[in-house]
Amino acid sequence: MAENDFSNGISAKVLDTVDLVVATVNDKAVRPAVVAARAIVFGVIIALVASLILIVASVGFIRLLNSYATDHHVWIAYLALGALFGLGGAVLYSKRGTTPSP
């Protein structure tokens, strides 16, 4: 009877150790990998949707200006859209960070 209690105690201790090792590996390796994979996937999805929205808005802006505002002079619509993107680029360029010196 005492031998059975001893082997049950060892079995429980080994199972607890295995459970602790598996939980530690999960916390240290698997969970950060899952979080990184989710960030990459959601980042790609957001970038694709933002690109699609920007393209559709640009085409709509050109068609709107070409049809209603500029009497079918498409160069004015291109100039306005180029100025808008140039202004946006200038604002983003002014907000850039400085590079660290080596």
Side-chain angles (χ1 to χ4, degrees):
M1 198 67 163
E3 183 179 307
N4 197 10
D5 289 339
F6 180 70
S7 62
N8 283 342
I10 291 176
S11 301
K13 202 176 227 184
V14 168
L15 288 175
D16 288 341
T17 304
V18 169
D19 188 40
L20 179 66
V21 168
V22 169
T24 303
V25 168
N26 187 25
D27 288 342
K28 300 288 183 183
V30 175
R31 195 165 288 158
V34 168
V35 169
R38 284 182 184 167
I40 290 170
V41 168
F42 288 139
V44 167
I45 290 172
I46 289 171
L48 288 175
V49 169
S51 298
L52 180 68
I53 289 172
L54 184 64
I55 291 169
V56 169
S58 298
V59 169
F61 181 73
I62 288 175
R63 286 184 181 235
L64 180 74
L65 281 182
N66 192 26
S67 296
Y68 298 113
T70 62
D71 195 30
H72 300 288
H73 295 293
V74 74
W75 65 270
I76 297 173
Y78 287 156
L79 182 67
L81 191 63
L84 187 66
F85 281 139
L87 181 65
V91 168
L92 290 176
Y93 188 74
S94 70
K95 302 239 184 241
R96 75 187 191 287
T98 60
T99 58
S101 52

